[in-house]
Amino acid sequence: MSLNTFGHLFRVTTWGESHGPAIGCTVDGCPPGIPLTEADIQPWLDKRKPGQNKFTTQRKEPDEVRILSGVFEGRTTGTAIQLMIENTDQRSKDYGDIAQAFRPGHADITYHQKYGHRDYRGGGRSSARETAARVAAGGVARATLAALVPGLTITGYMVQMGARGIDRSRVDLASIGNNPFWCPDPVAATDWADYLDQLRLSHNSVGAVIEVIATGVPAGLGAPLYGKLDSDLASAMMSINAVKAVEIGDGMAAAALTGVENADEIRMGPNGPEFLSNRAGGILGGISTGQPVVCRFAVKPTSSILTPRQTINQRGEEIDLITKGRHDPCVGIRAVPVGEAMMACILLDHLMLDRAQTGSQRGTIG
Amino acid sequence: MSLNTFGHLFRVTTWGESHGPAIGCTVDGCPPGIPLTEADIQPWLDKRKPGQNKFTTQRKEPDEVRILSGVFEGRTTGTAIQLMIENTDQRSKDYGDIAQAFRPGHADITYHQKYGHRDYRGGGRSSARETAARVAAGGVARATLAALVPGLTITGYMVQMGARGIDRSRVDLASIGNNPFWCPDPVAATDWADYLDQLRLSHNSVGAVIEVIATGVPAGLGAPLYGKLDSDLASAMMSINAVKAVEIGDGMAAAALTGVENADEIRMGPNGPEFLSNRAGGILGGISTGQPVVCRFAVKPTSSILTPRQTINQRGEEIDLITKGRHDPCVGIRAVPVGEAMMACILLDHLMLDRAQTGSQRGTIG
Amino acid sequence: MSLNTFGHLFRVTTWGESHGPAIGCTVDGCPPGIPLTEADIQPWLDKRKPGQNKFTTQRKEPDEVRILSGVFEGRTTGTAIQLMIENTDQRSKDYGDIAQAFRPGHADITYHQKYGHRDYRGGGRSSARETAARVAAGGVARATLAALVPGLTITGYMVQMGARGIDRSRVDLASIGNNPFWCPDPVAATDWADYLDQLRLSHNSVGAVIEVIATGVPAGLGAPLYGKLDSDLASAMMSINAVKAVEIGDGMAAAALTGVENADEIRMGPNGPEFLSNRAGGILGGISTGQPVVCRFAVKPTSSILTPRQTINQRGEEIDLITKGRHDPCVGIRAVPVGEAMMACILLDHLMLDRAQTGSQRGTIG
Amino acid sequence: MSLNTFGHLFRVTTWGESHGPAIGCTVDGCPPGIPLTEADIQPWLDKRKPGQNKFTTQRKEPDEVRILSGVFEGRTTGTAIQLMIENTDQRSKDYGDIAQAFRPGHADITYHQKYGHRDYRGGGRSSARETAARVAAGGVARATLAALVPGLTITGYMVQMGARGIDRSRVDLASIGNNPFWCPDPVAATDWADYLDQLRLSHNSVGAVIEVIATGVPAGLGAPLYGKLDSDLASAMMSINAVKAVEIGDGMAAAALTGVENADEIRMGPNGPEFLSNRAGGILGGISTGQPVVCRFAVKPTSSILTPRQTINQRGEEIDLITKGRHDPCVGIRAVPVGEAMMACILLDHLMLDRAQTGSQRGTIG
């Protein structure tokens, strides 16, 4: 079974292969009356677009999105929104070598084993190219959130490249657009540039950790017990290509804490409850607290490298394989806007779930 | 909106509060003809049962499960299986203090903000008591997997308590039942016993990391792109009370690797492909490879502690709160059988999804 | 696959067999803060209860419902509501004869073919006894609708028994409780009593048509295109045991009309649009118009009769079979409260879907 | 909320408006390895295509389908299949008149009330043009069924136009392609041609009843209790534009029968059970019996007519409205291939559900 849809009420169904004629998605359930044009979506696609510098794949795709349905006279109609992005720069010849071979670390072998028949060109459906459709859907979610929850912000950035982290004391979110890594620590960014250059030239690649933070999220979002906000974020982020771990708030580090340390103590502020810390990452019992929602995920190093690796082919022969083609030395870079898009979709989905059940009712404090 | 169901085809719907008359679940979609009695489920509940030693809550619950439907003459009928566990040892008086106060680190405040009206006794629906229903459902999943995939095993154990890890060179899975922590490293287990005793006596608690491993999983399970096996495991584990992070294979550590290091190289063994390493944790592109599926999750320290913490109450007054009641100093201990149960349910669900789409077809190698 | 859940957001999962220890359901997604006790649900179960007169099965079941979760201090908490009804008057010995035989018109043969292993006692899961759980869920939906949409009414009644219809000019909805058939035409009710007595004594049974009407339904409910209000009503009513057809508004008769006749013309009334007729049954394009929602369904005659019918048994032997046991001569009678319950659940579900997407926005007229 | 997806495992998501640039659908969950090209789908679209004779709308659409994803080298890959049909002959100027007016019998008023903002051109999303996408999806389902269940057939035809039925003794399914109505009774077809000509010239329209029959359906398909085969067919057929009723087997007429008459008696044939009649329409307890599955639905007369009808506009003014544009005098004609497509999708979906749960197990007889 393949399941190409996510979301409970704000539902996104993606389609398309890396080297097919186009990719895209259907965004279903979007509230009506939301101002929306291609220009609201395109900037996010541009942020993810390949070929922008030497640290991302040299495939050149304009990634121009077209809205084919669900929008009339510049506003959403509440019906299914179809978004399409044509593929223009496919170089399938790069992939003749791997039609029968399984690249280590790739889904080639599992798609073959599961489906028997697969589009091997550029990874076909398992290619990270699919994430362009997510980013387009995220653009719709962002535009809708902007209309429904003024002041909500979503920001993604890289906090670790390989083993090299950032210095949290130097973080300046305003600076993340100033370097090719969406890195909030300018010193780390310079270091990473040298490091990645070196790796690239030595035919290697490296992993990364991305953090996505949402502020202005109303308290009360999350659908316990099996549609918890953190549970849905975990699923969403883990579904991104190459992601191997997801953390909320302190994440893995929470295991090392004692209960005394871990308690986010609560005081009463002028506008309601205020937490003295945010180890929980803005979520308690699967429901948002009103604090910033903090989510991190680890991206493994790009599997497609020019260093030969041992593998087998479909006939069961043992071979050594170099993966040619145009690949990102650190695929985590382009995962930043994808993580933001998933955050936007999940938050909007939960906003809708919440108003379905509780309407405008809310427990009050004070 | 609350969503109390998980699974695509093997669907589990749980219900019940910590201090209500009973808790339970409906297991829907189970294949027919599977041998099943209460005796197949009870051992897993016994493993999770509170009050077994000084390291878990002193609440005494027999946790006896009753099958109310879906089984006839000792075999499943393919219809909805209802499992019920009566609550017998509720001491609601412990909770009078917190009817109006929000315990730090607990869902009290978010349930109040979301729903306005909540069962505060023992955390009500947000209590970890709910996980007994998951373990019961996991028992059904295990019995079904035993019938459908002979040789498949699922084993959970604790690999870290607080900041204290295990020594992987000493791991002996056969020993995990010999200590109260399901710890596979006997030396660490002894150390942890002292450490936890100390913490408990100092009115503190601590976090943990649990690992669940499944062997004998057929290649080809997983539903890309939004029902990937790792994505569904992430959601399932993150939905367990107090979990803050989920890792597959190398998890967060994958970020620090290079592509050369990370590649699980493939050779041809007598029975098909063999991988020289398993950094991927048995999953590529969201689909199982046939290697062991490895999943880890971090459990934060128990929030209910006898050390006073600052918080507020429903009237907005700032107070200091001690959480009485009978609490686990390391709730991660009892998360072990819960993690196993979630793994069992997710694997069975994907087995069913897979046979729906591909039947017995499979891509062959060699 | 068995799917024991219905509803998009107000989700009902039923479980239980005719001769098991109990039946029940989980009602998930109910808004919080709704006043609810067993006393709100019991009257609807009493309406459906068997053994109330000679025209329904003589099985005596008190059908007392217990709320096991999701309600605290008399109000819903927004978490899963578990409702349980114990079975007390099972006479399984009646069913020894049919353990191996397939009663014509029953699901015995299809359950056997699909599942291989079935609870044959009283039809097991395929018994109309399951509808008690639906009626209990309907009680929760009615209580919720009463709180959210004051003035909304739902009324079911029988409009045809066998070939004998009612005279629409004599309809008095206030009289439907005055006869055992929930018949709104007192003259027809008297006629039906004689007719059914005769049929019963001649070891025969008969079909019926039920109509369910909802007034005070807000305009705008319905989720085009595959969760249309009529589409969901069709599915809901067709899922009731023995139902063979569902009509909305003019139903099958609409086929015989011309476009000129069929147009429900619209005028402007003091409170908004007014329709001069309601051939559409209150639904256009799958969305409610604000007119009464009118749904009818046909119930086939009870298949369990004392007249011998030709059939086969599991060994493939041809036999003649008399179905003993305690059966309704016109099972349509007890389908009336079931149809009402399904209507209540579907309307509430769509109310929630609608507020998820559109909140309080609405297109205005005038 | 709008829900543009149907199906449990074989999932179809449609998108597009009557006068937008294109319409289409994503077909998700299709088994891999199925031979599929545009040529397998196009004939079904041609069957539904407008403008083929004077009895259908004169809008000229080539309705050429393109496969954009999910198929590689002529076979399905098991990933999402995207089908797109460009709109080429939109004459939106016809619709200027109705931008602010609500056509009686149309969804104009309900879309306005629900969504506030709508694409009024040709009915936008509520147009029957959407059914082209269903027919395309049905083509994929048919190709898949042909590969998985050899011998299964699906045939739709019109059995009533207005009040004029067919003579069942004259039915010849081989003749349904010989007349523009897909009528299996050649005598009725001639009569209908005259009748419809007359109606068309008098600016009127008329309803119809369509029957869809599937033979060669294996016993055991259907997911009780809320995914019964008949329940899902009812939902699917009721979701088609202008449908007001759905019948299975004897349908509404079953209400008029006695239990003795209604029993489909069973004998033992050379290949298993044989039923002496098929009043049940091939479904018992929501599960297929192996007999032909028989489903009928009533289509109301086309609401768009040239005869003036009373209505209101958005400002609440009472007006008389003539609906210009190019409309079918009997929209039921083009509903025939749509009904077939829905049947194909639902049967395949249930085939997949069934193999998920029961695999190849089956209860045997004899």
Side-chain angles (χ1 to χ4, degrees), chain B:
Chain B
M1 185 63 204
S2 69
L3 292 170
N4 293 287
T5 300
F6 71 93
H8 304 280
L9 290 178
F10 183 81
R11 292 175 69 74
V12 177
T13 302
T14 74
W15 55 271
E17 280 85 42
S18 178
H19 287 60
I23 60 168
C25 63
T26 310
V27 178
D28 197 8
C30 188
I34 306 295
L36 188 75
T37 67
E38 277 90 350
D40 294 301
I41 302 170
Q42 196 61 49
W44 310 110
L45 282 164
D46 292 346
K47 188 171 176 183
R48 179 202 159 280
K49 201 165 62 175
Q52 304 196 86
N53 57 54
K54 65 184 170 184
F55 300 115
T56 57
T57 169
Q58 294 308 298
R59 179 170 171 172
K60 293 279 192 304
E61 286 288 357
D63 275 358
E64 270 177 34
V65 66
R66 281 185 67 199
I67 299 175
L68 295 183
S69 70
V71 175
F72 183 62
E73 297 179 345
R75 285 188 295 139
T76 60
T77 60
T79 63
I81 300 170
Q82 178 65 217
L83 305 174
M84 187 169 74
I85 300 161
E86 287 186 55
N87 289 329
T88 60
D89 185 27
Q90 309 107 307
R91 272 195 359 213
S92 303
K93 66 178 164 54
D94 286 342
Y95 296 98
D97 294 0
I98 58 156
Q100 303 289 324
F102 305 124
R103 296 169 295 170
H106 270 284
D108 301 338
I109 191 167
T110 51
Y111 269 67
H112 172 72
Q113 286 181 295
K114 183 179 189 70
Y115 297 119
H117 177 64
R118 69 193 165 94
D119 179 351
Y120 55 79
R121 300 166 305 162
R125 182 63 179 154
S126 71
S127 166
R129 175 129 192 83
E130 185 266 351
T131 59
R134 304 182 188 217
V135 171
V140 177
R142 279 182 183 267
T144 307
L145 285 168
L148 300 183
V149 192
L152 188 150
T153 71
I154 294 169
T155 314
Y157 39 89
M158 195 184 288
V159 294
Q160 187 182 318
M161 177 184 284
R164 298 163 187 233
I166 58 168
D167 181 334
R168 292 267 172 186
S169 72
R170 283 196 300 253
V171 162
D172 171 15
L173 292 188
S175 76
I176 62 178
N178 299 342
N179 63 74
F181 313 112
W182 317 108
C183 175
D185 169 356
V187 179
T190 307
D191 172 51
W192 294 356
D194 293 343
Y195 176 55
L196 195 56
D197 231 8
Q198 211 173 4
L199 275 166
R200 193 171 55 86
L201 296 173
S202 63
H203 296 174
N204 210 341
S205 63
V206 77
V209 177
I210 312 301
E211 184 167 284
V212 182
I213 189 166
T215 65
V217 177
L221 305 195
L225 291 172
Y226 299 107
K228 284 178 171 175
L229 184 54
D230 38 5
S231 187
D232 280 2
L233 284 172
S235 176
M237 299 311 179
M238 193 67 95
S239 76
I240 301 173
N241 305 52
V243 172
K244 298 305 287 181
V246 183
E247 301 189 314
I248 302 294
D250 275 11
M252 292 306 293
L257 298 175
T258 65
V260 170
E261 293 162 345
N262 185 62
D264 293 319
E265 294 183 298
I266 317 175
R267 299 284 80 183
M268 201 62 195
N271 305 310
E274 279 179 11
F275 292 78
L276 301 184
S277 53
N278 189 18
R279 293 190 179 279
I283 302 174
L284 285 173
I287 304 172
S288 62
T289 62
Q291 287 183 286
V293 173
V294 181
C295 181
R296 264 182 317 284
F297 54 93
V299 182
K300 70 178 185 184
T302 312
S303 299
S304 298
I305 48 177
L306 285 165
T307 303
R309 299 279 82 193
Q310 302 183 83
T311 188
I312 60 173
N313 64 21
Q314 217 163 296
R315 287 183 301 279
E317 297 159 347
E318 300 191 334
I319 57 172
D320 275 17
L321 193 72
I322 288 173
T323 305
K324 294 178 202 156
R326 300 159 294 177
H327 302 289
D328 296 276
C330 177
V331 76
I333 300 172
R334 289 169 60 219
V336 172
V338 183
E340 292 176 331
M342 297 310 278
M343 174 68 85
C345 291
I346 299 299
L347 288 178
L348 176 54
D349 192 32
H350 276 279
L351 188 78
M352 292 172 67
L353 279 170
D354 190 59
R355 50 186 207 176
Q357 192 185 23
T358 59
S360 55
Q361 283 176 275
R362 270 288 179 276
T364 53
I365 294 175

Side-chain angles (χ1 to χ4, degrees), chain A residues 67-72 77-82, chain D residues 15-24 59 85 87 90 119-127 129-130:
Chain A
I67 300 175
L68 295 183
S69 71
V71 176
F72 183 62
T77 58
T79 62
I81 300 170
Q82 179 65 21
Chain D
W15 56 271
E17 282 84 43
S18 179
H19 287 59
I23 60 169
R59 177 169 173 174
I85 300 161
N87 289 329
Q90 309 105 307
D119 179 351
Y120 55 79
R121 300 166 305 163
R125 183 63 180 153
S126 70
S127 166
R129 176 128 192 84
E130 184 266 352

Side-chain angles (χ1 to χ4, degrees), chain D residues 229-292:
Chain D
L229 184 54
D230 38 5
S231 188
D232 279 2
L233 284 173
S235 176
M237 298 309 179
M238 194 67 95
S239 77
I240 302 172
N241 305 54
V243 171
K244 300 304 289 181
V246 183
E247 301 189 314
I248 302 294
D250 276 11
M252 293 305 295
L257 298 175
T258 65
V260 170
E261 292 161 345
N262 183 63
D264 292 319
E265 294 183 299
I266 317 175
R267 298 285 79 184
M268 202 61 194
N271 305 311
E274 279 178 11
F275 292 79
L276 302 182
S277 53
N278 189 17
R279 292 189 179 280
I283 302 173
L284 284 173
I287 303 172
S288 62
T289 63
Q291 288 185 286

Side-chain angles (χ1 to χ4, degrees), chain A residues 13-91:
Chain A
T13 302
T14 73
W15 55 270
E17 280 84 42
S18 178
H19 287 59
I23 59 168
C25 63
T26 310
V27 177
D28 197 8
C30 188
I34 306 295
L36 187 75
T37 66
E38 277 90 351
D40 295 302
I41 302 170
Q42 195 61 49
W44 310 111
L45 281 165
D46 291 346
K47 188 171 176 183
R48 180 203 159 278
K49 201 165 60 175
Q52 306 196 86
N53 57 54
K54 64 183 171 185
F55 300 117
T56 57
T57 169
Q58 293 309 298
R59 178 170 172 172
K60 292 280 190 305
E61 286 287 358
D63 275 359
E64 270 176 34
V65 66
R66 280 184 68 199
I67 300 175
L68 295 183
S69 71
V71 176
F72 183 62
E73 297 179 344
R75 286 189 295 138
T76 60
T77 58
T79 62
I81 300 170
Q82 179 65 21
L83 304 173
M84 186 170 74
I85 300 161
E86 287 186 54
N87 290 329
T88 61
D89 184 27
Q90 310 106 306
R91 276 197 354 216

